[in-house]
Amino acid sequence: QVQLVESGGGLVQTGGSLRLSCAASGGIFSNYAVGWFRQAPGKQREFVAAVTRGGVSTYYADSVKGRFAISRDYAENAVYLRMNRLKPEDTAVYYCANVLAGTSVTEVAGWRYWGQGTQVTVSS
């Protein structure tokens, strides 16, 4: 069983930056891909970014490409999401996910374990 804990969310002005962290325990976190998703009020959870287990490949939603960067630290057993040039539409609860059981990193249903989420609010 993998336990995931997100942190690093908060309130930031438009154009600002945040770095989210996803820490894992209870499993072999480093052996699996990790994804970040977000859910805004009244909307479905959507894919943001993902990194493969070896860290070689990364994937991004078009809406964040060029602004967000996902990385992983095997020594710390953590994955990070660096978010730059934040916009009000980035406001959401951000979740990390581990163990891709499906075939597509973008599908919510394909991920087995989820954290509790961290709130990101971007003021205009």
Side-chain angles (χ1 to χ4, degrees), residues 34-114:
V34 177
W36 282 97
F37 288 75
R38 66 187 181 187
Q39 188 166 17
K43 295 187 177 181
Q44 291 187 334
R45 192 169 297 189
E46 64 175 6
F47 169 75
V48 175
V51 60
T52 56
R53 71 176 179 180
V56 174
S57 297
T58 56
Y59 305 88
Y60 297 95
D62 288 342
S63 59
V64 306
K65 203 171 291 183
R67 300 188 297 123
F68 290 12
I70 189 171
S71 61
R72 60 191 314 166
D73 185 329
Y74 292 95
E76 295 294 326
N77 209 31
V79 170
Y80 305 104
L81 183 68
R82 177 67 180 180
M83 307 187 296
N84 297 321
R85 304 198 308 275
L86 283 161
K87 305 175 182 179
E89 49 264 44
D90 295 318
T91 295
V93 177
Y94 283 71
Y95 300 89
C96 67
N98 188 216
V99 186
L100 179 63
T103 57
S104 172
V105 298
T106 64
E107 295 180 0
V108 172
W111 296 85
R112 187 170 299 173
Y113 300 110
W114 294 85

